[in-house]
Amino acid sequence: MSAHRNRARGSAQCGQALTEFLVVALTMMPLFLLIPMIAKYQDINHSTQMAARYAAFDATIRNDRATGSWKPEGQLADEVRRRFFGNSDAPIKTGDVAGEFNAHRNLFWRGPDARPLLNRFSDVAVSFGPGAGSSHADGFEAASDMDSFGMIASGLGLASKGIYRANISVKLAPLPTALAFYRPFDTTELTMTRHTSLLLEPWAAKHAAEVESRILGSAAIFPAASLASISGEVDGYVSIIEAPAGLQGPKLGRIDFWRDVVPADRLKAK
């Protein structure tokens, strides 16, 4: 009698374990199916962030102060789409535009039905500023740095427009509705948006002479520049007075002697 009870209890426990396993499996199955999709979404998210950085830092070398002109917004958008949302081994070429065919697509970014998660390259949008404007001029947000350093900045030829921001927005295709395991994610209209903000440097000196000219032209930075006109006379008097010692004048209004110059004997011709 005892052996019969033990067998019945064991059968009941096996049936309970099987039921629990099926319940857990049905609960976890959608998660297991979504893991590949989560990986693809994370990859697209990373590309979106890198594209935002590219768009923002491109403005540090192409703006109305550094080169006299911005990179056209359409050209920047084409570069972002081709280089960050196309195939991973896409060559970097000037004027290259992404085409709506598989050779230019990232084939990893596909749904369970093999359709691309990025329907069209035009679903990648480039905008500027907190208001998502369409031009570079919309990318600036006022900053208070000029309130404290306005006089010094104007003397050096620095004109701060504020913080510059570039936005990248990517509209993704929904998952197929025929697969019940993906519900309710099949009805989610997912859009990824990332931005990068930075302070553009409006003045990049090309050489030491340009740095000196900016400093000499700013009375707030170097007020002694106004004494350059009498520097020759002062040097002459100092040379006469200090003739035995051979001391030189104070070089009023000059800063060229502060140049960090590599001695000629330390340079090697290539």
Side-chain angles (χ1 to χ4, degrees), residues 5 20 23 86 100 109 123 126 183-184 187 207 234:
R5 290 179 179 177
E20 292 175 351
V23 171
E100 301 292 348
W109 297 345
D123 289 335
V126 180
R183 296 173 184 170
T187 58
H207 41 68
V234 173

Side-chain angles (χ1 to χ4, degrees), residues 26-55:
L26 291 175
T27 304
M28 298 298 292
M29 186 62 68
L31 178 60
F32 289 143
L33 292 176
L34 281 173
I35 286 177
M37 297 306 305
I38 293 174
K40 296 177 181 181
Y41 286 148
Q42 287 180 330
D43 192 36
I44 298 175
N45 176 67
H46 176 71
S47 294
T48 306
Q49 181 62 63
M50 296 302 295
R53 294 177 182 176
Y54 173 83

Side-chain angles (χ1 to χ4, degrees), residues 72-194:
E73 292 81 359
Q75 178 184 346
L76 180 62
D78 288 338
E79 290 178 359
V80 164
R81 292 163 183 158
R82 181 70 175 107
R83 299 177 184 181
F84 294 92
F85 297 94
N87 54 328
S88 57
D89 58 349
I92 298 178
K93 298 189 296 184
T94 302
D96 196 14
V97 179
E100 301 292 348
F101 42 84
N102 288 338
H104 278 192
R105 294 184 180 277
N106 189 326
L107 299 182
F108 176 63
W109 297 345
R110 290 183 174 273
D113 55 353
R115 294 182 180 180
L117 294 176
L118 183 62
N119 276 335
R120 299 174 300 275
F121 285 104
S122 58
D123 289 335
V124 178
V126 180
S127 60
F128 307 94
S134 59
S135 67
H136 291 288
D138 301 321
F140 291 95
E141 184 177 9
S144 59
D145 55 333
M146 296 299 289
D147 297 341
S148 302
F149 304 101
M151 183 174 65
I152 296 176
S154 61
L156 290 174
L158 303 177
S160 175
K161 297 181 181 179
I163 303 298
Y164 177 82
R165 171 172 164 174
N167 314 302
I168 304 295
S169 179
V170 184
K171 181 180 178 182
L172 300 178
L175 297 178
T177 57
L179 301 178
F181 282 119
Y182 287 101
R183 296 173 184 170
F185 300 100
D186 55 339
T187 58
T188 302
E189 296 183 359
L190 182 60
T191 299
M192 293 184 180
T193 302
R194 293 293 181 269

